[in-house]
Amino acid sequence: MSLQKRIWDLIVLGIFVFAATFASAPWFAFRALKAAAQYEDVQAISELVDFPAVRRSLTGQLVEAAPVAPAEPPSIWRDPLGAMRRAIEPIAPPEPKVDRYLTIAGISALTRGYAPGAAPAGPARPETLTGKLKAVVSGPYPTIAYWDPNRVRVAMKRPGDARRVTVFTFQRRELFTWKLVHIRLPREER
């Protein structure tokens, strides 16, 4: 073989490796997020998640729709008990539902396909090489629901109920750096 043929083969191989790495980077970002949540690595989670963007996306899904026309406040003359109840209600708004989704346990449950608080205990950390290989090979597996060069959606089906799918949207920030910017919950959990 000539030197020119070998150089050409290396260039083609380099292009193939670059394209494969670029295309699979979001999948590896999801796997890194899942592992960081499972092993409670706060630093890694903070590098992989854009918390303000994810909070906005979840708040939009979890806020109950306000009635079209607010009801008239109860009057002491027409509804004395309702007026008293309203007078002693706490003024502070209720705790946002979104907070339980943005904890380490919440993110861990979501990456495994469950709602926060509904996930079974995670598997123990394997010690042997065969145990580690089994953990990598065992499902459930995330699937790519949408891919383009700057945005990827990774779908995670709930084990035992394939109708409930949590979708994670990753956005490219640098050439191989992806951040979680949106989580779409299954309809039943909104």
Side-chain angles (χ1 to χ4, degrees):
M1 278 190 166
S2 70
L3 181 61
Q4 187 177 21
K5 172 79 169 129
R6 286 186 182 175
I7 291 174
W8 176 251
D9 289 344
L10 285 175
I11 290 172
V12 169
L13 179 65
I15 292 171
F16 177 75
V17 169
F18 175 81
T21 305
F22 183 78
S24 63
W27 186 79
F28 284 109
F30 177 80
R31 296 292 293 180
L33 177 64
K34 185 176 181 179
Q38 180 181 1
Y39 299 123
E40 299 178 358
D41 187 352
V42 177
Q43 178 66 31
I45 290 174
S46 68
E47 292 174 4
L48 293 167
V49 178
D50 182 357
F51 281 104
V54 173
R55 178 176 287 283
R56 280 191 305 273
S57 74
L58 288 172
T59 301
Q61 296 174 60
L62 296 173
V63 171
E64 297 170 6
V68 176
E72 181 180 329
S75 164
I76 190 118
W77 301 111
R78 283 185 256 145
D79 185 10
L81 291 176
M84 291 299 290
R85 187 179 311 121
R86 183 165 183 214
I88 61 174
E89 282 180 343
I91 296 174
E95 181 179 330
K97 294 179 183 180
V98 103
D99 288 345
R100 66 186 175 127
Y101 289 88
L102 295 176
T103 62
I104 292 175
I107 291 173
S108 177
L110 288 171
T111 58
R112 292 174 39 215
Y114 295 99
R125 189 173 192 168
E127 298 295 327
T128 64
L129 180 61
T130 57
K132 290 178 183 178
L133 289 174
K134 277 185 183 178
V136 168
V137 175
S138 66
Y141 301 106
T143 57
I144 303 293
Y146 174 79
W147 190 95
D148 82 14
N150 294 318
R151 189 172 297 265
V152 173
R153 291 191 175 94
V154 177
M156 187 64 184
K157 294 180 182 175
R158 178 169 296 171
D161 189 2
R163 295 173 304 149
R164 293 187 181 192
V165 179
T166 305
V167 179
F168 300 86
T169 302
F170 287 86
Q171 185 175 11
R172 185 166 60 86
R173 298 294 169 98
E174 293 177 16
L175 189 59
F176 295 108
T177 303
W178 294 80
K179 269 198 152 181
L180 178 68
V181 295
H182 185 274
I183 298 175
R184 187 178 74 208
L185 302 172
R187 287 199 189 281
E188 298 83 15
E189 294 174 15
R190 294 183 193 173

